[in-house]
Amino acid sequence: MVSKLNTEEEMAKFAIVPAQTRRKGIGIRAWLVVLESGQSHLEELGKHSVMRRTGLPARDLRVLDPVLSYPSTILGRERAIVINLEHIKAIITAKEVLMVNSNNPLIVQFVEDLQHRVMPKPAMESHDKEIEDAADANWGSPSVHGFNGSVTNSRKRPSQRVNVSFEVLNVDVKEDSPKTSEDERVAAGPKVLPFEFRALEACLESACRCLESETQTLEQEAYPALDELTSNISTLNLERVRQIKSRLVAISGRVQKVRDELEHLLDDDNDMAEMFLTEKLVRPSLDQSSIKEELCNDELEEDDERTEESKSESNSEIFSGFKPNIEELEMLLEAYFVQVDGILQKLSDMSEYVGDTEDFINIMLDDKQNQLLQMGVMLSTANMIINAGIVVVGLFGMNITISLFDGGPSTKFLETTLGTLGSCVALYLIAFVWGKKKKLLGS
């Protein structure tokens, strides 16, 4: 009996395992990963894997859910940047870009632009080759060989040859003003933006291009439709303008959200500082190495405990005092802020044109309504005068004895009829002139 119970418990355990396996695969989806080298590939990643890989909380990943509708957002975090702009839903790290895989043509075009932008430039490779050739020429000169006879191998690495020639030609400069990393970057040529900023620029450019394209398409449809509506007010034209106005309101809202997000980033230096992912990785390592050198010199004079305390204090100062130069990022964001603001201005002008067209149409309709009211007044006046003539005719049709009905010339009937009609016309003209004088009837 006991063995039977044990067997049933084991079977129950094995029956639960497939359910757990299925539950684990619920959050897994295909992510397109674009590396720093420009290469891309697909990876099957779950939500928790992405959280561990990027250091993002779950609430930030919900922004990228294609099922949910979130406004345009750019979030800077410790190890990643979350981008939700129009069709772009991506996570940018210091080494790669992760996007939910999609067959949207806009996404395909964006991935191609992103690969082209982050791919190493051939010009940089040719520039490095020219530096190596110049170093080879300096190493092969007789003056260098004569100065340092211990170095006789002319096929050493280019870095060694450059160092030797620098020591030969610029000994005093090296002793007086050591070359910093910033000076080396300036001497090497124009500074290249970090990977995360190049990816961010590609996202902003793609979003602005999409909004600009939709705005131009709407302009090409809106202005002719509005002009046609002013000349021909019909149900079909009114329906076209109604659809155009709905699209205009939707696009204006999207552009406004992108503009507000860029403006929020430009107003907050801390949010921009959070986006320096590469510098966060590089600067602590450089500072740590310099700190270790200083601490090694101090270890000869201080105890181990005091060294530990100073090391922890210096580390805390480094991480708390992380203030990168945000000028480059600010210039990048300002450029696209101006572009988005220009798109919003176009939409605002189009919205004003729609409003002016609506006002013009309302004025036209009011004028038509006034004309109809005037016609109604004139017809009512004519009807009243005709009714007065009918009353006169009715009075003469009564069977009464008056001198007019006595025998006499036949001209009395004509005189009576013409007199009645003339009186009606005269009364109508009097009413019309009175309405003109009182400005109750238009011209």
Side-chain angles (χ1 to χ4, degrees):
M1 186 67 180
V2 175
S3 61
K4 184 177 181 180
L5 292 175
N6 294 333
T7 304
E8 290 178 356
E9 291 177 357
E10 292 177 357
M11 291 177 64
K13 291 180 181 179
F14 285 116
I16 295 173
V17 171
Q20 292 178 354
T21 305
R22 288 193 300 269
R23 193 178 296 113
K24 289 181 180 179
I26 291 175
I28 296 178
R29 63 176 59 177
W31 290 79
L32 180 63
V33 182
V34 180
L35 301 177
E36 189 177 7
S37 60
Q39 299 177 354
S40 62
H41 61 276
L42 291 175
E43 290 188 17
E44 296 287 339
L45 298 175
K47 182 175 70 174
H48 296 287
S49 300
V50 176
M51 292 170 60
R52 288 191 300 267
R53 189 167 180 171
T54 60
L56 294 174
R59 66 176 181 273
D60 291 340
L61 291 181
R62 283 195 292 270
V63 176
L64 305 178
D65 195 341
V67 179
L68 303 177
S69 177
Y70 277 89
S72 298
T73 307
I74 302 177
L75 301 176
R77 294 295 184 254
E78 183 66 25
R79 293 165 48 193
I81 301 174
V82 182
I83 303 294
N84 180 22
L85 294 176
E86 295 300 313
H87 56 280
I88 302 172
K89 298 179 182 294
I91 302 174
I92 301 174
T93 64
K95 299 295 182 182
E96 60 187 6
V97 178
L98 287 82
M99 295 177 293
V100 179
N101 189 29
S102 176
N103 295 326
N104 189 351
L106 296 175
I107 298 294
V108 176
Q109 180 65 31
F110 166 68
V111 172
E112 293 178 358
D113 296 341
L114 179 62
Q115 291 175 340
H116 178 72
R117 188 175 293 274
V118 303
M119 191 177 299
K121 300 295 186 295
M124 297 177 62
E125 298 177 357
S126 62
H127 183 70
D128 295 336
K129 187 176 181 180
E130 290 177 1
I131 294 176
E132 293 179 359
D133 294 338
D136 293 335
N138 292 333
W139 176 255
S141 59
S143 60
V144 175
H145 286 282
F147 183 83
N148 192 353
S150 61
V151 182
T152 58
N153 188 3
S154 63
R155 300 188 59 84
K156 290 180 179 285
R157 293 193 303 268
S159 60
Q160 294 178 349
R161 294 196 292 270
V162 172
N163 292 335
V164 173
S165 61
F166 182 78
E167 290 176 359
V168 172
L169 300 176
N170 300 300
V171 174
D172 297 333
V173 176
K174 184 176 180 180
E175 293 176 356
D176 296 336
S177 59
K179 214 171 190 182
T180 60
S181 59
E182 296 181 357
D183 296 335
E184 291 176 357
R185 287 196 298 268
V186 173
K191 186 176 180 180
V192 180
L193 289 175
F195 171 76
E196 63 269 16
F197 292 164
R198 283 178 284 163
L200 176 62
E201 185 177 5
C203 296
L204 292 173
E205 183 179 357
S206 179
C208 291
R209 189 190 305 117
C210 177
L211 294 174
E212 182 72 24
S213 176
E214 293 186 15
T215 302
Q216 291 179 356
T217 303
L218 187 61
E219 283 181 343
Q220 294 174 0
E221 297 178 6
Y223 288 111
L226 293 172
D227 294 338
E228 185 178 357
L229 180 62
T230 56
S231 59
N232 182 18
I233 302 175
S234 62
T235 305
L236 179 61
N237 292 334
L238 288 173
E239 180 63 22
R240 287 179 58 191
V241 172
R242 186 191 66 82
Q243 295 177 359
I244 289 173
K245 188 175 181 181
S246 300
R247 290 167 55 191
L248 176 61
V249 172
I251 296 176
S252 300
R254 288 158 51 194
V255 175
Q256 184 66 43
K257 289 176 182 177
V258 175
R259 182 185 181 277
D260 293 343
E261 188 64 25
L262 292 176
E263 186 177 10
H264 173 71
L265 288 175
L266 290 171
D267 292 340
D268 197 339
D269 294 344
N270 294 328
D271 289 346
M272 286 191 287
E274 288 289 337
M275 296 184 179
F276 285 79
L277 306 179
T278 302
E279 192 167 350
K280 287 179 184 178
L281 296 177
V282 174
R283 176 169 290 187
S285 60
L286 296 176
D287 294 337
Q288 289 287 349
S289 61
S290 61
I291 291 170
K292 288 180 180 179
E293 293 178 358
E294 295 177 358
L295 292 177
C296 289
N297 296 329
D298 295 338
E299 281 179 355
L300 299 176
E301 299 177 358
E302 298 179 354
D303 296 332
D304 294 336
E305 294 180 357
R306 296 183 62 185
T307 303
E308 293 286 338
E309 294 177 357
S310 62
K311 184 176 179 180
S312 60
E313 291 176 359
S314 59
N315 288 337
S316 62
E317 290 178 359
I318 290 170
F319 291 104
S320 61
F322 178 72
K323 294 181 179 180
N325 185 10
I326 62 174
E327 184 178 357
E328 294 180 356
L329 179 58
E330 189 174 7
M331 292 175 61
L332 174 65
L333 295 177
E334 282 180 352
Y336 288 98
F337 176 79
V338 172
Q339 185 175 356
V340 173
D341 191 63
I343 297 173
L344 187 61
Q345 185 63 37
K346 290 182 180 179
L347 295 172
S348 178
D349 295 340
M350 198 185 310
S351 178
E352 291 180 359
Y353 193 82
V354 172
D356 295 341
T357 304
E358 290 180 349
D359 295 339
F360 179 73
I361 291 173
N362 291 330
I363 292 172
M364 291 178 61
L365 294 176
D366 292 340
D367 183 64
K368 294 292 184 181
Q369 186 177 6
N370 292 333
Q371 292 178 5
L372 292 174
L373 291 175
Q374 291 180 10
M375 183 179 292
V377 171
M378 295 173 66
L379 291 175
S380 298
T381 304
N383 188 21
M384 182 186 67
I385 294 173
I386 291 172
N387 289 331
I390 292 173
V391 170
V392 174
V393 173
L395 291 175
F396 284 113
M398 291 183 181
N399 190 10
I400 58 177
T401 303
I402 58 176
S403 60
L404 184 62
F405 293 156
D406 295 339
S410 59
T411 57
K412 292 182 178 181
F413 175 77
L414 295 176
E415 293 175 356
T416 304
T417 304
L418 293 176
T420 304
L421 293 175
S423 300
C424 292
V425 173
L427 289 174
Y428 181 78
L429 292 177
I430 292 172
F432 182 78
V433 171
W434 181 80
K436 286 282 189 181
K437 187 177 180 180
K438 295 296 184 179
K439 297 181 179 181
L440 298 176
L441 299 176
S443 57

